[in-house]
């Protein structure tokens, strides 16, 4: 991470590399390639206050608009984009400042890459991005297509710019690579997802370079372009199975068999051909020349486990197939999952948490809070610096996930700082030594949320929020009981709603800090009748 900080701090020299932009006001930035009367200095992320406009640098020269937008999509709605391809830079505007802060925090912990090239993301010192409608047209068209699908609408548009982009589709055949394939993706799932954009004629699935891939043919090239613009970079499931989509050089697929690996929807009479290759030799030779713009992600294997009960973020069960913006936590989980699958973890798994309220904090409260994002194994509050603690997570991926969501949050009235520790493990005190209860070993705790492979908890990881999700609620417990319980934990209950036949509930506190405290105090609270209350953060609002 030192390389990130040093690079951001150095910034860029003014002169030929300055951004040719001019600003109409101190809080907005307007794109106009013909006016260089004013120069916009490259901001230093370390000094710029949070903003929903982010500055992205060192992009590969061949980067597409879709790839830049995909960097922001996991964290919320992307509302504007400005591409500066000649300078290998871009500006991305997110819907909220909170989403931008989460994105910067996450990419500080996990180096963002585009086409296997590290890129650098920082806050802009501008609060709004204004783009000239006559410039940056392709980027705006791509954003419009993606936004339409995010909102559950149709990617079709009367916009002439969008039409002109769609008209340049080179082929009706898409090449699809599934990154971070933690759960199986079937041919039928692909058909459901892509049929939103037009008639799917044929699909061939196969494994190449130890990676699940597919060729999918639409009836028209324009449908393929719509699907690529809208789906590239999206996740099929909430925390994995990322779509990487580009055009194939093939213009027609020759499918010989209808089975679980290939399908020609125009020829249902084709034999199953069990044990036969789905791709004939001539097409295989042509495919081998078909290079992906995204390249082959390094270290990715297509290992996966049973996906039972894993809800699709594409809402396929509702028939709409519209992609919802993935939560930031899911994005982090996807990246963490990618590192798990490739056999690499980016750090030791030990976190250093500082600026704690030493009068209030306990190993148990830290275990409970950090346990939302992974299985905390050991917690040690430092004897000579009781406002700091070391927390050992199960692995480096869980540590990065916890850091990306808890750094900068308010706990017991103080904004905590979470960083990766140089320590490889948290040492227990020597036998017979009294450390005043500052060190706790939770290795065998029954409260770990993620010890069971494929647990539904993996798909319910969300950033801290004022709204809490309650489960395992006894039938005889009323709304008034729960309101009183959470009010006594400190704070004001603003809203409440039962669902799932009284077994679960949503409860909204007045602030995120109050919700964090309530979660630490009341997760696993004994409600009687062998029911221990389960509390987690929710992405929903009441």
């Amino acid at each position: 991470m030192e390389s990130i900080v040093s690079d951001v701090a150095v910034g860029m020299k003014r002169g030929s590399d300055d951004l040719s932009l001019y600003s109409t006001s101190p809080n907005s930035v307007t794109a106009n390639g013909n006016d260089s009367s004013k120069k916009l200095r490259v901001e230093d992320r370390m000094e710029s206050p949070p903003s929903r406009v982010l500055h992205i640098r060192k992009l590969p020269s061949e980067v597409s608009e879709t790839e830049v937008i995909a960097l922001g999509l996991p964290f919320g709605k992307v509302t504007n984009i400005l591409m500066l391809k000649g300078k290998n830079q871009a500006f991305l505007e997110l819907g909220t400042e909170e989403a931008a802060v989460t994105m910067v925090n996450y990419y500080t912990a996990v180096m963002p890459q585009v086409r296997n090239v590290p890129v650098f993301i920082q806050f802009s010192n501008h609060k709004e991005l204004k783009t000239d409608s006559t410039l940056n047209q392709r980027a705006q068209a791509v954003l419009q297509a993606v936004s339409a699908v995010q909102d559950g609408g149709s990617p079709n548009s009367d916009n002439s710019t969008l039409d002109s982009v769609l008209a340049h589709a080179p082929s009706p055949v898409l090449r699809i690579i599934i990154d971070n394939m933690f759960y199986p993706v079937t041919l039928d799932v692909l058909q459901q997802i892509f049929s939103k954009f037009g008639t799917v004629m044929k699909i061939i699935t196969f494994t190449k370079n130890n990676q699940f891939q597919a060729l999918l043919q639409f009836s028209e090239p324009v449908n393929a372009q719509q699907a690529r613009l809208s789906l590239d970079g999206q996740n099929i499931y909430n925390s994995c199975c990322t779509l990487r989509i580009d055009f194939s050089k093939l213009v027609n697929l020759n499918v010989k068999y209808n089975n679980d690996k290939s399908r020609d929807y125009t020829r249902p009479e084709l034999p199953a051909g069990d044990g036969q290759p789905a791709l004939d030799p001539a097409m295989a030779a042509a495919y081998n020349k078909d290079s992906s713009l995204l390249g082959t992600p390094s270290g990715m294997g297509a290992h996966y486990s049973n996906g039972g009960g894993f809800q699709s973020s594409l809402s396929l069960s509702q028939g709409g197939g519209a992609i919802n913006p993935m939560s930031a936590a899911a994005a982090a989980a996807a990246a963490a999952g990618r590192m798990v699958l490739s056999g690499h973890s980016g750090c030791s798994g030990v976190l250093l948490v500082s600026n704690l309220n030493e009068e209030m904090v306990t190993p148990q409260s830290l275990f409970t809070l950090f346990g939302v994002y992974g299985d905390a194994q050991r917690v040690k509050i430092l004897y000579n610096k009781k406002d700091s603690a070391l927390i050992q997570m199960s692995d480096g991926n869980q540590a990065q996930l916890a850091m990306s969501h808890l750094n900068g949050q308010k706990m017991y009235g103080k904004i905590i700082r979470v960083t990766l520790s140089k320590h490889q493990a948290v040492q227990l005190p020597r036998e017979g030594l009294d450390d005043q209860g500052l060190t706790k070993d939770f290795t065998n705790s029954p409260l770990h949320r993620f010890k069971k492979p494929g647990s539904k908890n993996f798909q319910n990881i969300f950033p801290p929020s004022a709204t809490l999700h309650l489960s395992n609620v006894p039938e005889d417990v009323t709304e008034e009981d729960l309101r009183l319980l959470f009010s006594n934990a400190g704070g004001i209950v603003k809203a409440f709603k039962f669902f799932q036949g009284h077994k679960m509930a949503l409860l909204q506190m007045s602030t995120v800090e109050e919700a964090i405290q309530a979660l630490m105090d009341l997760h696993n609270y004994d409600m009687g009748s062998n029911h221990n209350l389960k509390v987690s953060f929710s992405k929903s609002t009441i």
Side-chain angles (χ1 to χ4, degrees), residues 1-17:
M1 296 312 300
E2 289 80 7
S3 60
I4 298 179
V5 175
S6 62
D7 188 89
V8 172
V10 169
M12 292 175 58
K13 293 181 180 179
R14 298 199 56 162
S16 60
D17 288 334

Side-chain angles (χ1 to χ4, degrees), residues 436-451:
Q436 302 176 8
L438 297 177
T439 305
K440 293 290 185 183
D441 187 356
F442 295 98
T443 304
N444 297 315
S445 171
L447 300 182
H448 287 153
R449 297 179 188 244
F450 306 101
K451 61 183 176 181

Side-chain angles (χ1 to χ4, degrees), residues 5 23 124-125 163 228 313 336 339 361 369 398 450 452 535:
V5 175
S23 175
S124 168
N125 57 18
D163 292 341
R228 186 181 73 88
S313 67
M339 287 183 280
V361 69
L369 178 58
Q398 292 185 359
F450 306 101
K452 184 186 296 184
V535 185

Side-chain angles (χ1 to χ4, degrees), residues 53-125:
V53 179
L54 300 176
H55 180 204
I56 305 171
R57 300 187 290 117
K58 296 196 174 182
L59 289 163
S61 57
E62 69 276 14
V63 69
S64 70
E65 293 83 354
T66 308
E67 290 168 284
V68 175
I69 293 172
L71 288 170
L73 281 178
F75 304 93
K77 187 173 181 61
V78 176
T79 52
N80 211 343
I81 180 175
L82 172 62
M83 299 290 292
L84 302 168
K85 289 194 173 181
K87 303 180 185 299
N88 301 100
Q89 300 178 23
F91 284 88
L92 202 63
E93 180 186 277
L94 274 69
T96 66
E97 186 176 293
E98 180 184 17
V101 170
T102 304
M103 179 174 168
V104 170
N105 279 344
Y106 175 65
Y107 285 132
T108 299
V110 179
M111 171 70 79
Q113 293 194 358
V114 176
R115 305 193 184 203
N116 295 324
V117 175
V119 299
F120 299 91
I121 301 174
Q122 62 197 66
F123 292 117
S124 168
N125 57 18

Side-chain angles (χ1 to χ4, degrees), residues 487-510:
S487 296
N488 289 339
I492 300 172
V493 177
K494 294 185 66 177
F496 183 91
K497 180 174 71 174
F498 271 123
F499 63 100
Q500 287 284 327
H502 201 92
K503 295 178 181 177
M504 299 183 182
L506 291 177
L507 182 145
Q508 184 178 340
M509 305 297 289
S510 61

